[in-house]
Amino acid sequence: MITEIKKVLEKQRVVSLFDLAVILKKDAKTLLLPLKQLERKKYLEKIDTSFSCSAQCSGCMGCDKDKTIFYKLCEKKNSPKV
């Protein structure tokens, strides 16, 4: 699973938890543990955008948390082998 996640991030650079789950055909909750491992090893950075809602929609209906959490690939020079 970690290898699959790394391949997606290397291709896309930044991806939401929702999109990652769709791409890998996995439940978002299933991805949280391997994502946490990659984050601890400084391979990726978690970006939570839920606090920065710009209210472009017709009103707050509580965005799906999986669509407001993104993962960004860290610079390769700082990324250890996983």
Side-chain angles (χ1 to χ4, degrees):
M1 175 97 56
I2 286 179
T3 303
E4 295 168 310
I5 292 170
K6 286 172 63 176
K7 285 180 184 178
V8 172
L9 278 164
E10 286 168 359
K11 183 177 180 183
Q12 303 222 0
R13 309 294 292 172
V14 177
V15 67
S16 71
L17 178 56
F18 176 83
D19 289 338
L20 187 61
V22 170
I23 291 166
L24 297 177
K25 298 179 178 125
K26 303 281 184 191
D27 181 70
K29 289 181 183 179
T30 304
L31 298 174
L32 293 177
L33 182 60
L35 285 166
K36 191 71 160 173
Q37 291 173 332
L38 290 167
E39 186 180 4
R40 268 196 316 269
K41 293 187 182 265
K42 307 286 188 225
Y43 188 83
L44 57 82
E45 176 185 354
K46 179 180 175 181
I47 304 165
D48 186 347
T49 63
S50 62
F51 61 87
S52 64
C53 177
S54 62
Q56 298 292 324
C57 58
S58 60
C60 187
M61 302 199 46
C63 293
D64 185 354
K65 187 78 170 160
D66 298 347
K67 293 180 181 177
T68 62
I69 296 176
F70 290 80
Y71 290 91
K72 174 184 169 187
L73 185 67
C74 291
E75 294 296 319
K76 288 190 184 239
K77 64 181 178 183
N78 296 328
S79 300
K81 294 238 182 229
V82 179

